[in-house]
Amino acid sequence: GVWGEMESCTPAITVPAWMTMMTSKDPGQLGFYGFRNRADYSYERMTTVNSRHVTQQTVWDILSQMGKQSVVIGVPPSYPIKPVHGASISCFLTPSTKSQYTYPNDLRGEVESLVGEYMVDVSNFRTEDKDWLLRQIYEMTEKRFKVADHWMRTKPWDFFMLMEIGVDRIHHAFWKYMDPLHPKHVPGNKYLNAIREYYRYVDGLIGGLLNNVDDQTTVIVVSDHGAKRMDGGIIFNEWLRREGYLVLKEEPQGVTPFEKVEVDWSKTKAWGAGGYYGRLMLNVQGREPQGIIPQSQYAAVRDELMERLAGITDDKGKNLNTVSFAPETVYREIKNYPPDLVVYFGNLAWRAIGGLGYDTIYTFENDTGPDDANHAQFGLFIVQEPGGQGSRKAQGAQIYDVAPTILSMLGVPVPADMIGKDLRSR
């Protein structure tokens, strides 16, 4: 078949990446730029993305209109669950299985008769209890594939999609044990092969699913982003404060979330939000309630910040190679309230820390609990076609190519406004 690296969207984060894949629209067109987004241009209001924020048509929406049936399991954001011509299970954003997590709703009884309590996610992947976590990940994955195997054999479908979040969870929780270049790696540790063994386990489960399909079925394997070691964290707002862009009314008493510090907005030009990537917001006159940057100086201030961010060094004085993206340079359209810059600290080798009250701009402890890996811009794809001869590595594949590929393979016209193209043409 055809295979290769596949570039994710910017930012390379689970939400919006799966929806950029399944709609072939960029985050600006979708109108969300991460799990949490500004609700307006105020300083405090944020929204958490759910399925209702997805207003663009997904692959299964288009297939439903053509009378084709889909089975979709775990693709985020899919809570609250939406109707589909077929069957679906919602994603890891589902609060619990006490919520409606299947469509149709009566399928939850079928799911629970198969596996007992279904697991939309592990309850806490940022824990030091690694033995417990490994058991959780394996149990979750076993249950998900058991349901998938049953539905693959018993439900009518033209398109079947399963997303397993366990791969992401095991990266974040066990990367340092595997990677000798990770700053916290300990040679000979008991979890050295945990990721590899889990990969083999998942490969075996995929093999089991493939026993259910004939030689005329196309098989696609995709990732929404890659993974890489996390070297540390940059305390974004402390850096902005030291550079003179952020001014506080009073000193925080110890490490404090940004939302709980007193900002002097009359003197503040910029602030940041943390996560696997950084989001930088500017305090603009006529836009933010107490904006101080004149519209005429917006571009100059942003360019200055991009240049200063690019100059950040690590704790040993080596340049981090931080990269920043302006929304209008990476999106075809800009809806809702994007950050003014998307920041990849150390080109995603370092995460962004949003809190204040540190005596440094560097940290080697994650602010939300143990986490060893960051996301990488490039993931992978594999397409195996019926009757295909040999294997070919493709170049230049993008996450936006997946939806047009699926539609083309099912003989459905590809909407003209989709960004991507058929992966087989790469």
Side-chain angles (χ1 to χ4, degrees), residues 122-377:
V122 293
S123 56
N124 175 23
F125 70 92
R126 292 192 176 102
T127 174
E128 294 290 4
D129 189 347
K130 302 301 181 181
D131 287 347
W132 172 86
L133 181 59
L134 265 183
R135 292 193 299 271
Q136 288 275 298
I137 292 173
Y138 273 87
E139 181 184 353
M140 172 183 66
T141 303
E142 179 186 10
K143 288 181 175 184
R144 185 139 36 247
F145 273 83
K146 189 170 184 179
V147 173
D149 179 77
H150 179 72
W151 281 10
M152 191 173 270
R153 288 183 286 105
T154 60
K155 300 272 186 274
W157 55 271
D158 299 285
F159 172 65
F160 192 106
M161 182 171 182
L162 165 68
M163 189 284 230
E164 178 50 66
I165 194 65
V167 182
D168 178 272
R169 299 320 189 209
I170 207 160
H171 288 161
H172 288 299
F174 290 92
W175 199 276
K176 72 181 179 188
Y177 300 102
M178 169 195 75
D179 185 354
L181 297 178
H182 196 285
K184 294 189 176 183
H185 179 73
V186 176
N189 70 82
K190 67 182 284 191
Y191 303 114
L192 182 67
N193 294 310
I195 292 178
R196 181 181 291 273
E197 288 166 1
Y198 177 72
Y199 267 42
R200 286 180 167 169
Y201 174 69
V202 172
D203 280 349
L205 294 175
I206 293 170
L209 291 184
L210 297 184
N211 289 331
N212 298 326
V213 300
D214 59 27
D215 292 341
Q216 296 308 303
T217 304
T218 296
V219 179
I220 305 177
V221 179
V222 288
S223 57
D224 61 324
H225 52 73
K228 64 197 296 184
R229 74 175 188 270
M230 188 190 299
D231 289 338
I234 298 296
I235 301 158
F236 199 179
N237 284 310
E238 181 60 34
W239 179 85
L240 286 166
R241 191 182 177 196
R242 293 184 182 194
E243 296 292 316
Y245 293 97
L246 172 63
V247 178
L248 302 184
K249 290 182 178 178
E250 58 185 42
E251 285 296 316
Q253 299 301 306
V255 174
T256 307
F258 181 75
E259 294 76 18
K260 295 184 177 180
V261 299
E262 285 291 321
V263 178
D264 187 342
W265 294 111
S266 68
K267 298 176 182 175
T268 289
K269 289 185 176 181
W271 75 101
Y276 293 121
Y277 66 104
R279 286 159 290 166
L280 181 136
M281 277 68 71
L282 295 179
N283 196 20
V284 182
Q285 282 182 7
R287 193 182 76 173
E288 275 72 19
Q290 300 176 57
I292 65 168
I293 300 172
Q295 294 277 355
S296 60
Q297 294 179 23
Y298 175 86
V301 172
R302 193 174 63 172
D303 288 349
E304 176 185 285
L305 271 158
M306 290 176 76
E307 186 176 338
R308 289 200 186 184
L309 285 162
I312 293 178
T313 62
D314 66 14
D315 54 314
K316 298 178 178 65
K318 182 180 178 183
N319 189 279
L320 281 183
N321 298 314
T322 294
V323 185
S324 303
F325 304 92
E328 71 274 13
T329 66
V330 286
Y331 306 135
R332 286 154 184 78
E333 187 179 352
I334 298 173
K335 292 182 179 177
N336 299 329
Y337 309 94
D340 293 290
L341 287 176
V342 171
V343 184
Y344 284 3
F345 285 109
N347 204 14
L348 294 176
W350 294 61
R351 70 174 285 141
I353 307 293
L356 283 156
Y358 298 81
D359 59 3
T360 174
I361 66 163
Y362 309 106
T363 183
F364 302 95
E365 300 301 326
N366 187 35
D367 58 336
T368 55
D371 199 333
D372 304 346
N374 205 345
H375 297 178
Q377 191 66 30

